[in-house]
Amino acid sequence: MKESFRQSMAWLHTWSGLLVGWVLMLIFMAGTSSYYRDEITLWMKPELHKTAITPVTQELAADQAIHTLQRRAANSERWFLTLPTDREPAVQAMWAPPAGEGKGKGKKGKGRRRFDTALLDPATGAALPEARATRGGDFFYRLHFDLHYMPVPVARWIVGFCAMSMLVAILSGIVTHKRIFKDFFTFRPRKGQRSWLDFHNVSAVLALPFHLMITYTGLITLMFMFMPWGVKVAYQDNDKAFFAELFDGPAQNAKASGVAAPLTPLGPVIAHASRAWDGAPAGRVTVNFPNDAAATIAVTQQAGRGLSSELPTLTYDGVTGRPLRAPDTGHGAAAATRGVLYGLHIGRFADPLVRALFFVSGLGGCAMVATGLLLWAVKEKPKHLKARNGNGIGFGLRLAEGLNIGAIAGLPVAMAAYFWANRLLPVGLAGRPAAEISWFFTAWAVTMAAGLVWPSRPMWRLQLLAGGALFALLPVLNGATGGAHLLVSIPNGLWALAGFDGVTLLIGAALLYASARLGRAPVTKTRLAGNAA
């Protein structure tokens, strides 16, 4: 091999990052946003902002929600409650229709069970039907691994390939840079290609452990798709049996007794579970066969007290409220390891400070990918100009520069358009969540097409300016469309809403600053010589 090992790694680093870089920008931006998906969802439902001002205890919220379900779904065989938090003030209720109802026909006569849902006021249990329909932050969460319009298996294979390429790029980048940590403290502005390389190094090393963790654990979340052979052999292709055993799902053979019996109040049950967890709050409550002698209540701990995504659950008799024997939670080492790795990836364990660090590290990942894409274009452009005797650039580089504009400057425009659509579309519009999402992809398609048609410095400025203005004006839009603006959210301690508005202001300011900096004439050797004379 003529080239040295480090030179080979440099080649691998360049192409493993470049070929998937534009998709990685989407994955990183959407995934980084997902750390605040509850806050995003709350902001996108301004009808719930007043509910957040008056917090109530979990015990009261659960009992009030049960009273509502007794009226609306007394014959349901299963109720699910997600209890309120600072990040999501409403009670999310979901119930399964009685057996024989709510089944859609699918292939070979099989169907998926349809669940009814409602958002409930935690203080009164009253339904909040006026809350607008929206996917909220869940859109970004699903987008970063399902890519929305694509078939789910295809999308996840694409995301998995990109994640593996990202992991290869990170590891080969570590090998390539002999002075990687020394270069972290070096930044030389206004030096062209050298400045882009410095910024790439800084953004990469600043959160290197996070980048390694998030990429590797992202692959772990899809491990059963990428490596299914062990399950297929051990369970004879019966995936449902495997997952039921792995995650201790509800017993498939459990049935109602048919004997009516009143359901015990949930307040004392939740209080007992919290004491058993040393004060940790409950997060979810599942009531199996309510108003039946065989009823059970499963209380799951709220995320935030441990790294693992597998949260402890306590089970109670639904009639007496007596604790039942806890289900076997002694998972093997492999299952426990997967739970921790998956928990690290989704970050639900994080307190506000750690979540903020994850978010900043995710932004660093966006900067790392963006500067890598830009660095390649900056390095290749002189070669193309020289090869073509100064007569422009070839199709390949023109395509790369256009994709750079659409992926780096266009995505913020698309994300801001999604938030604006949430407030500008009619509240009662049919298919409203899909319409909001269509604004995102329409805006992105327009910015991508514009970048491909005119891949130039003015196009960069225009798209950064548009994204900056749209983000910076979101707090104004919030107040003008009935939301709790900063003058309301801060005095009332609504930090989830105040944080959203504050972050959008910062993002808008950063994009506007970048647009202004691009408006300055680039520093050239001729200009420097003229100044010196």
Side-chain angles (χ1 to χ4, degrees):
M1 188 169 68
K2 295 181 180 180
E3 295 181 336
S4 67
F5 176 71
R6 181 169 284 109
Q7 288 174 322
S8 299
M9 289 297 100
W11 179 91
L12 183 62
H13 176 74
T14 298
W15 290 103
S16 61
L18 178 67
L19 296 179
V20 299
W22 301 289
V23 181
L24 282 175
M25 281 300 299
L26 174 64
I27 295 172
F28 256 96
M29 283 194 180
T32 300
S33 302
S34 299
Y35 286 123
Y36 289 102
R37 64 173 175 163
D38 289 340
E39 287 82 356
I40 292 173
T41 301
L42 177 59
W43 188 91
M44 296 180 73
K45 293 182 177 181
E47 299 82 6
L48 302 183
H49 293 185
K50 292 182 180 179
T51 303
I53 295 177
T54 310
V56 300
T57 63
Q58 287 190 324
E59 292 83 354
L60 175 60
D63 281 333
Q64 296 287 31
I66 289 299
H67 291 158
T68 299
L69 289 175
Q70 291 285 16
R71 295 192 303 269
R72 297 183 60 173
N75 296 324
S76 173
E77 63 181 21
R78 189 165 287 114
W79 296 339
F80 305 90
L81 296 177
T82 301
L83 299 179
T85 66
D86 293 339
R87 304 172 67 200
E88 176 53 73
V91 177
Q92 300 180 49
M94 183 168 64
W95 59 92
E101 299 180 12
K103 292 183 178 180
K105 293 182 180 180
K107 295 181 180 180
K108 299 181 181 181
K110 296 181 180 180
R112 296 184 64 184
R113 194 64 173 274
R114 178 183 62 83
F115 289 91
D116 293 324
T117 61
L119 287 175
L120 307 178
D121 188 318
T124 65
L128 298 169
E130 69 274 11
R132 64 193 63 197
T134 179
R135 289 284 298 277
D138 288 337
F139 165 63
F140 293 120
Y141 172 71
R142 301 291 303 187
L143 177 66
H144 96 281
F145 62 89
D146 278 355
L147 305 181
H148 195 67
Y149 288 124
M150 301 184 68
V152 170
V154 175
R156 294 187 180 182
W157 275 105
I158 292 174
V159 170
F161 176 78
C162 292
M164 181 59 72
S165 299
M166 177 74 173
L167 188 61
V168 170
I170 292 173
L171 295 176
S172 57
I174 293 173
V175 174
T176 300
H177 294 91
K178 294 184 293 184
R179 304 184 307 169
I180 184 169
F181 292 105
K182 182 178 180 180
D183 288 344
F184 169 63
F185 297 99
T186 303
F187 180 67
R188 288 154 285 191
R190 306 180 70 186
K191 297 292 185 181
Q193 180 179 324
R194 182 71 255 180
S195 297
W196 285 116
L197 181 58
D198 288 345
F199 193 26
H200 183 66
N201 290 336
V202 169
S203 60
V205 180
L206 180 64
L208 181 59
F210 173 84
H211 297 152
L212 288 169
M213 178 276 291
I214 207 68
T215 307
Y216 178 71
T217 56
L219 291 167
I220 293 297
T221 63
L222 301 175
M223 61 185 290
F224 298 117
M225 171 180 282
F226 301 148
M227 303 182 69
W229 307 286
V231 175
K232 291 183 178 297
V233 171
Y235 289 83
Q236 289 76 49
D237 287 337
N238 189 353
D239 292 349
K240 290 185 178 179
F242 166 71
F243 286 110
E245 182 177 336
L246 176 64
F247 298 115
D248 285 335
Q252 299 298 318
N253 298 324
K255 295 181 179 180
S257 68
V259 179
L263 184 69
T264 187
L266 257 63
V269 171
I270 292 174
H272 179 276
S274 181
R275 289 194 299 271
W277 295 323
D278 297 324
R284 296 191 308 272
V285 178
T286 303
V287 181
N288 300 303
F289 314 119
N291 305 313
D292 187 90
T296 59
I297 302 171
V299 183
T300 302
Q301 187 181 108
Q302 190 180 105
R305 295 301 180 102
L307 288 178
S308 178
S309 62
E310 302 301 315
L311 301 171
T313 298
L314 294 176
T315 307
Y316 298 83
D317 186 290
V319 177
T320 66
R322 177 176 55 86
L324 301 178
R325 184 179 66 85
D328 181 18
T329 57
H331 294 309
T337 301
R338 178 196 176 274
V340 171
L341 293 176
Y342 185 39
L344 279 171
H345 187 81
I346 58 180
R348 292 176 186 165
F349 66 91
D351 59 22
L353 176 59
V354 174
R355 186 176 294 108
L357 290 174
F358 270 40
F359 181 76
V360 171
S361 298
L363 292 179
C366 296
M368 176 183 65
V369 175
T371 52
L373 294 171
L374 291 169
L375 180 61
W376 183 86
V378 170
K379 289 174 63 177
E380 290 296 314
K381 193 168 187 176
K383 300 177 185 177
H384 281 242
L385 291 173
K386 183 177 181 181
R388 297 168 64 90
N389 296 319
N391 296 321
I393 58 177
F395 172 78
L397 183 57
R398 184 181 181 87
L399 175 64
E401 289 192 334
L403 291 174
N404 283 349
I405 294 174
I408 298 170
L411 266 174
V413 175
M415 296 176 77
Y418 176 65
F419 297 131
W420 279 78
N422 171 259
R423 297 303 180 88
L424 298 182
L425 291 173
V427 174
L429 179 68
R432 199 174 188 284
E436 291 179 356
I437 293 171
S438 69
W439 276 45
F440 172 91
F441 284 104
T442 300
W444 194 24
V446 170
T447 57
M448 186 68 75
L452 291 171
V453 170
W454 191 26
S456 63
R457 190 183 188 93
M459 179 56 66
W460 276 103
R461 288 197 64 203
L462 178 62
Q463 294 200 18
L464 290 171
L465 176 64
L470 289 172
F471 264 104
L473 291 173
L474 279 175
V476 178
L477 178 69
N478 181 29
T481 53
H485 52 78
L486 287 170
L487 297 180
V488 174
S489 58
I490 293 178
N492 287 282
L494 304 180
W495 302 116
L497 298 173
F500 182 96
D501 282 343
V503 169
T504 57
L505 280 174
L506 290 175
I507 292 174
L511 294 173
L512 291 173
Y513 174 75
S515 177
R517 282 298 302 267
L518 282 175
R520 301 177 185 176
V523 178
T524 62
K525 291 182 179 180
T526 303
R527 183 179 166 194
L528 288 174
N531 290 340

